[in-house]
């Protein structure tokens, strides 16, 4: 047997730092993929001391162009446009003409006039949310309180609305 053949038989593979790093990278990549597929973020689950409630909140938007009348319909799903999380279903929609309130200096009296081609929109939305120990309603990271601006997405319209009422549905 030649010395070349003896060297091949006696030579064994040894781990080095590159092999260890490669194994660590593979384990981390598999862990990250499993985490992304199976972790739900825990947003929908209520924490201890919180109860699930049926909630109706109303949002409104003013001075919309009249062409948007009818773009939101009863039964439409409502999404938070920044997170695309479902935050309810439309149960009522009301469109009214936008009204301008001003003051006439000549007659020294206030007046109201309809904006031509402009409407105001009020949308009632039903959602199953959670109420915290502090009495604040929330779902999927969204807080539901009066005066809050909400970026909402409906199937045929997306816009910034203001929450004008929040109430629990009594059983």
């Amino acid at each position: 047997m030649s010395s070349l053949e003896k060297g091949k038989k006696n030579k064994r593979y040894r781990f080095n730092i590159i092999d260890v790093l490669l194994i660590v990278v593979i384990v981390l990549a598999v862990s990250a993929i499993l985490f992304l597929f199976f972790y739900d973020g825990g947003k929908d689950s209520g924490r201890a001391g919180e109860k699930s409630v049926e909630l109706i909140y109303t949002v409104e938007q003013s001075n919309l162009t009249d062409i948007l009348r009818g773009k939101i319909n009863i039964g439409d799903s409502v999404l938070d446009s920044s997170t695309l999380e479902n935050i309810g279903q439309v149960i009522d929609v009301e469109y009214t003409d936008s009204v301008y309130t001003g003051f006439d200096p000549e007659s020294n009296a206030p007046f109201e006039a309809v904006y031509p081609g402009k409407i105001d929109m009020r949308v009632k939305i039903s959602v199953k949310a959670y109420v915290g120990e502090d009495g604040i309603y929330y779902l999927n990271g969204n807080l539901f309180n009066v005066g809050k601006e909400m970026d909402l997405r409906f199937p045929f319209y997306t816009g910034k609305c203001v929450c004008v009422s929040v109430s629990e549905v009594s059983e």
Side-chain angles (χ1 to χ4, degrees):
M1 190 181 279
S2 71
S3 63
L4 185 62
E5 291 174 358
K6 280 184 185 178
K8 284 186 178 180
K9 281 186 177 181
N10 291 337
K11 188 174 184 179
R12 288 194 283 167
Y13 186 75
R14 294 184 326 187
F15 278 114
N16 59 27
I17 192 72
I18 303 289
D19 297 326
V20 172
L21 289 175
L22 186 61
I23 290 171
V24 168
V25 167
I26 290 171
V27 168
L28 288 175
V30 169
S31 299
I33 290 170
L34 291 174
F35 178 80
L36 290 174
F37 279 116
F38 295 112
Y39 182 68
D40 66 353
K43 293 183 210 171
D44 274 345
S45 60
R47 295 179 291 229
E50 296 172 345
K51 66 176 185 171
S52 176
V53 295
E54 187 68 29
L55 194 67
I56 293 178
Y57 63 101
T58 304
V59 296
E60 74 177 9
Q61 191 173 15
S62 299
N63 291 329
L64 296 169
T65 181
D66 191 36
I67 199 165
L68 295 174
R69 187 184 302 265
K71 294 293 183 185
I72 298 174
N73 300 300
I74 294 173
D76 286 350
S77 62
V78 183
L79 304 177
D80 178 339
S81 63
S82 59
T83 63
L84 299 181
E85 294 282 350
N86 189 325
I87 55 173
Q89 186 172 17
V90 175
I91 58 172
D92 190 28
V93 183
E94 179 183 326
Y95 298 99
T96 57
D97 293 330
S98 289
V99 176
Y100 172 76
T101 303
F103 186 79
D104 184 9
E106 292 178 10
S107 65
N108 201 23
F111 71 94
E112 291 184 348
V114 174
Y115 272 120
K118 297 288 187 170
I119 60 171
D120 295 340
M121 170 187 71
R122 287 178 73 97
V123 182
K124 277 190 179 179
I125 302 167
S126 174
V127 65
K128 191 172 190 90
Y130 295 97
V131 59
E133 294 172 355
D134 52 4
I136 295 176
Y137 302 103
Y138 69 93
L139 176 69
N140 296 331
N142 290 291
L143 298 178
F144 298 97
N145 55 352
V146 175
K148 180 179 183 219
E149 283 191 347
M150 305 175 79
D151 293 318
L152 301 180
R153 177 180 280 186
F154 302 90
F156 301 107
Y157 175 71
T158 300
K160 186 177 291 279
C161 301
V162 176
C163 184
V164 294
S165 74
V166 178
S167 61
E168 279 186 41
V169 176
S170 58
E171 294 179 22

